[in-house]
Amino acid sequence: MVPSRSKRPSILLLIASIIVIALSDVVNSAKILCLFPTGSKSHVLGPQTLLKHLASRGHEVTMVSAFPLSKPVKNYRDVYVPIQSGFDTMMSKFMQGGSRNMFRMMPVVAKISMDYNNDTLNSPQFQQLVREERFDLAILGYFMNGFIVGVGSLLKCPVVMYISAGFNQVVNFVGNPQEIASVPHLFLGNKNPMTFMDLVKNTLLSVFEAGFITYIESVTKSYYYYNFPTEKGFPTYEEAKLNISLMLCNAYFTQTVPRPMLPNVIEVGGLQIKSKPDPLPQDIQAWLDGADEHGVIFLSFGSNLKSSSLREDKFEAIIGSLGKLKQRVIWKWDTDQMPRKPANVLIGKWLPQDDILAHRNLKLFITHGGLGSITESMYHGVPIVGIPMFGDQDHNVAQVVEEGWGESVSFDNLTESALTGAIERVLGSERYTQKIQNMATLYKDRPQSALDLATFWVEYVVRHKGARHLHYQGADLNRWQRSLLDVLVFLVAVPFVVFKILGVLLRKLKKQKQKAADANRVSKLKKKY
Ligand SMILES: *[C@@H]1O[C@H](CO)[C@@H](O)[C@H](O)[C@H]1NC(C)=O
Ligand SMILES: *[C@@H]1O[C@H](CO)[C@@H](O)[C@H](O)[C@H]1NC(C)=O
């Protein structure tokens, strides 16, 4: 029969191509380990998104962290290692209005983070992985824990570093040019161009930072050599750092400033943001859908700060202000009940922030100003009122105010009238929303999504077994070599030595000539008499 004859080859072709695809999947599938011992859930959102995507492409991924996925995903295995929540007391002190001086806080934060990491490396769960399994790649989450680079030689596989923030000197393990004259430090804000006084500040900041890095690295080394002793054949800390294949940074230049980047430093800002939001929990969906023309305000202090530990007067100020608004409010609240909760406020412990910000009725985000929150808000075109609390949040919020898509209320000035004033200013004018929508457009206009870009480079490193050819030779140079001081010395020294030798020779020649002339004269005189 004619029809079946023409069908059979196409079915065979289909089966053959399925087999080929299945086989090629097996061939290309890699075993990837991600290690991110952190107490901040917001820091693991990016890697989780990336790993889920890698899993969907057939790779076998393992995530070692304190934050397992809530729903299991095929090819994705969580190795849960709980960590002492050393940050909690610090966070509740912030919420009580305690000192937020980051310069004093930094060494404490660094120590806590290194202890988390040390505990995880020494946990039975991680040790078992090391003993029993082989991996093709390790993705290591960075937060003041540089010593975990040793995991590369422990597992004998290439290393990709993931940074939850923008690229900076503290994580510059690959020799990226620093350019103090043209790249403003985070603490200076994203100034482009910088004035002369900015340059002076930038220079001083870089000197201060170099001191901080020296300190951090010295602490890090003691953790490194405890876990990866050279006597047991591990490379030195410096060698291990130079062996990093790739750095993924959760930042993007339209949000900061343009800067030189090596081919192995990849900006994947917005990695955690879904281009299509997931369905919301029913109560949240109904609350958002059912809002009138005034819309909904979302309030969250992020994943570390607990709203329930807010100082009493600050809490009163916030509910006083929110309770009088025409808008509905969603507040990320960490206990089951909120005292004196206004009727227009809905509370929830686990809120999908990215999906809520994506809702068309969402008008304003009241946020502590963490980088992830600021980025998601910008991406979805939602203006903000920032209440910065610690770390980079002051700078993030100041930047938003400068860019014109939000207002700031400092914790010290947080009163009912100050908060209401800021909310009314932002909601009362179109200019905030217009500004943010322009920025969102620029942020999204890329040749490929952050997720696809990160995926490409991770697979690239696997394909090329560490992609050693990406290594920048500048990474191997010290400060003097990088500024060519050794060559300058050489260039000055060579002519100097040559001239010196020539001078000596000339003088010798002159002397000989003189001698010869003298001898000549003497013999002439002798002949005369
Ligand atoms: C450097 O990384 C490669 C894999 O990319 C690994 O085989 C090698 O052992 C590492 N060397 C050192 C000194 O860590
Ligand atoms: C790392 O953890 C181990 C085991 O828990 C501990 O003995 C060691 O002192 C820690 N290292 C440092 C540098 O604190």
Side-chain angles (χ1 to χ4, degrees):
M1 279 189 294
V2 178
S4 78
R5 259 214 346 250
S6 72
K7 230 180 218 165
R8 198 177 293 143
S10 71
I11 288 174
L12 281 179
L13 210 69
L14 191 71
I15 292 172
S17 51
I18 287 173
I19 291 173
V20 167
I21 290 169
L23 275 181
S24 68
D25 244 19
V26 171
V27 171
N28 292 330
S29 131
K31 273 194 83 172
I32 299 173
L33 173 95
C34 180
L35 174 66
F36 206 160
T38 170
S40 300
K41 189 170 182 208
S42 59
H43 286 188
V44 299
L45 292 178
Q48 282 178 343
T49 310
L50 175 59
L51 290 183
K52 278 194 264 184
H53 194 239
L54 289 167
S56 76
R57 292 170 60 81
H59 300 294
E60 224 181 289
V61 305
T62 303
M63 173 65 149
V64 182
S65 79
F67 300 100
L69 296 181
S70 46
K71 275 181 266 160
V73 166
K74 189 173 164 251
N75 293 342
Y76 186 120
R77 169 179 54 160
D78 269 307
V79 174
Y80 171 56
V81 184
I83 44 184
Q84 302 296 323
S85 43
F87 281 124
D88 283 5
T89 36
M90 184 184 281
M91 294 298 149
S92 44
K93 271 189 199 144
F94 290 152
M95 288 306 238
Q96 290 293 314
S99 164
R100 293 175 284 126
N101 182 334
M102 276 333 275
F103 294 119
R104 232 178 304 146
M105 218 61 89
M106 262 332 196
V108 185
V109 171
K111 175 87 170 61
I112 294 175
S113 175
M114 289 187 204
D115 284 337
Y116 280 168
N117 281 268
N118 188 37
D119 291 348
T120 301
L121 289 183
N122 290 289
S123 66
Q125 300 94 309
F126 184 73
Q127 291 293 325
Q128 188 184 355
L129 282 182
V130 173
R131 266 196 320 273
E132 296 176 3
E133 299 191 35
R134 291 284 160 268
F135 295 91
D136 302 307
L137 180 74
I139 301 176
L140 308 177
Y142 179 85
F143 186 75
M144 305 217 188
N145 56 349
F147 67 95
I148 64 171
V149 292
V151 166
S153 47
L154 182 66
L155 298 174
K156 300 191 178 53
C157 68
V159 166
V160 170
M161 271 275 172
Y162 173 86
I163 304 144
S164 323
F167 192 77
N168 58 67
Q169 271 312 102
V170 183
V171 292
N172 192 359
F173 302 142
V174 288
N176 202 68
Q178 185 181 7
E179 301 299 347
I180 299 167
S182 39
V183 180
H185 189 276
L186 170 73
F187 287 0
L188 200 63
N190 299 318
K191 297 224 167 127
N192 186 11
M194 288 188 273
T195 65
F196 181 74
M197 281 324 283
D198 288 334
L199 282 180
V200 172
K201 280 188 217 157
N202 211 36
T203 309
L204 293 177
L205 277 171
S206 76
V207 171
F208 173 79
E209 188 178 54
F212 176 70
I213 291 172
T214 309
Y215 166 75
I216 280 285
E217 291 286 89
S218 73
V219 184
T220 280
K221 272 185 199 168
S222 66
Y223 285 86
Y224 179 87
Y225 288 112
Y226 173 81
N227 289 289
F228 313 105
T230 28
E231 308 84 68
K232 288 200 182 154
F234 287 103
T236 63
Y237 177 53
E238 277 71 23
E239 284 166 349
K241 280 195 296 183
L242 286 175
N243 209 24
I244 294 173
S245 296
L246 184 76
M247 312 213 71
L248 297 175
C249 307
N250 198 356
Y252 188 61
F253 79 95
T254 65
Q255 202 183 8
T256 55
V257 294
R259 62 179 298 165
M261 288 290 192
L262 291 172
N264 59 349
V265 180
I266 310 292
E267 288 197 315
V268 295
L271 186 62
Q272 79 281 14
I273 306 174
K274 294 178 225 90
S275 51
K276 242 205 241 135
D278 286 341
L280 286 162
Q282 253 172 11
D283 54 335
I284 309 279
Q285 185 78 48
W287 190 251
L288 278 159
D289 288 346
D292 61 13
E293 76 274 15
H294 298 296
V296 182
I297 295 173
F298 181 41
L299 192 166
S300 169
F301 281 101
S303 55
N304 291 320
L305 297 157
K306 293 202 169 82
S307 292
S308 67
S309 48
L310 264 172
R311 202 167 78 198
E312 195 57 27
D313 57 326
K314 302 298 175 188
F315 173 68
E316 292 298 336
I318 297 176
I319 55 167
S321 170
L322 297 182
K324 297 192 183 89
L325 294 173
K326 293 193 226 72
Q327 285 75 17
R328 285 185 169 182
V329 177
I330 301 172
W331 187 339
K332 180 178 183 290
W333 185 265
D334 48 281
T335 60
D336 291 327
Q337 253 154 42
M338 174 190 285
R340 298 180 298 290
K341 184 178 80 61
N344 62 335
V345 174
L346 178 78
I347 58 171
K349 281 191 209 171
W350 310 111
L351 297 173
Q353 173 165 305
D354 178 32
D355 302 325
I356 291 175
L357 289 171
H359 195 281
R360 61 185 165 10
N361 285 347
L362 203 91
K363 297 285 190 252
L364 173 71
F365 185 21
I366 303 177
T367 168
H368 67 313
L371 184 61
S373 297
I374 297 275
T375 307
E376 287 169 23
S377 207
M378 189 251 281
Y379 188 95
H380 295 298
V382 177
I384 72 158
V385 166
I387 308 175
M389 299 298 288
F390 67 97
D392 60 348
Q393 294 157 13
D394 282 309
H395 303 282
N396 297 342
V397 173
Q399 187 69 35
V400 168
V401 174
E402 173 105 11
E403 287 162 359
W405 58 283
E407 293 283 332
S408 172
V409 181
S410 77
F411 190 81
D412 297 333
N413 295 331
L414 179 58
T415 58
E416 182 180 326
S417 65
L419 183 58
T420 305
I423 294 173
E424 281 175 352
R425 275 198 300 284
V426 176
L427 290 177
S429 160
E430 278 290 299
R431 77 180 168 90
Y432 295 89
T433 316
Q434 270 160 14
K435 181 72 209 180
I436 187 54
Q437 269 152 10
N438 288 342
M439 287 191 64
T441 305
L442 278 185
Y443 192 76
K444 292 178 200 171
D445 194 357
R446 311 184 194 186
Q448 65 192 134
S449 73
L451 187 54
D452 286 339
L453 184 66
T455 304
F456 170 84
W457 280 104
V458 165
E459 290 181 345
Y460 183 93
V461 171
V462 172
R463 262 200 306 279
H464 301 288
K465 313 242 174 315
R468 197 59 202 162
H469 58 278
L470 283 174
H471 181 78
Y472 175 53
Q473 41 183 314
D476 308 324
L477 306 179
N478 65 34
R479 195 181 295 270
W480 313 122
Q481 291 169 324
R482 205 169 300 139
S483 47
L484 285 174
L485 267 183
D486 50 349
V487 175
L488 273 180
V489 167
F490 174 78
L491 287 180
V492 172
V494 167
F496 181 80
V497 171
V498 168
F499 281 124
K500 257 272 156 16
I501 292 173
L502 275 181
V504 170
L505 284 180
L506 273 178
R507 246 174 285 139
K508 242 187 193 159
L509 218 69
K510 234 182 183 170
K511 248 186 214 158
Q512 263 170 11
K513 253 192 185 161
Q514 193 73 45
K515 246 188 210 158
D518 287 351
N520 218 346
R521 223 171 343 170
V522 169
S523 68
K524 267 186 190 159
L525 279 175
K526 267 187 184 159
K527 257 186 203 159
K528 234 176 177 178
Y529 298 99

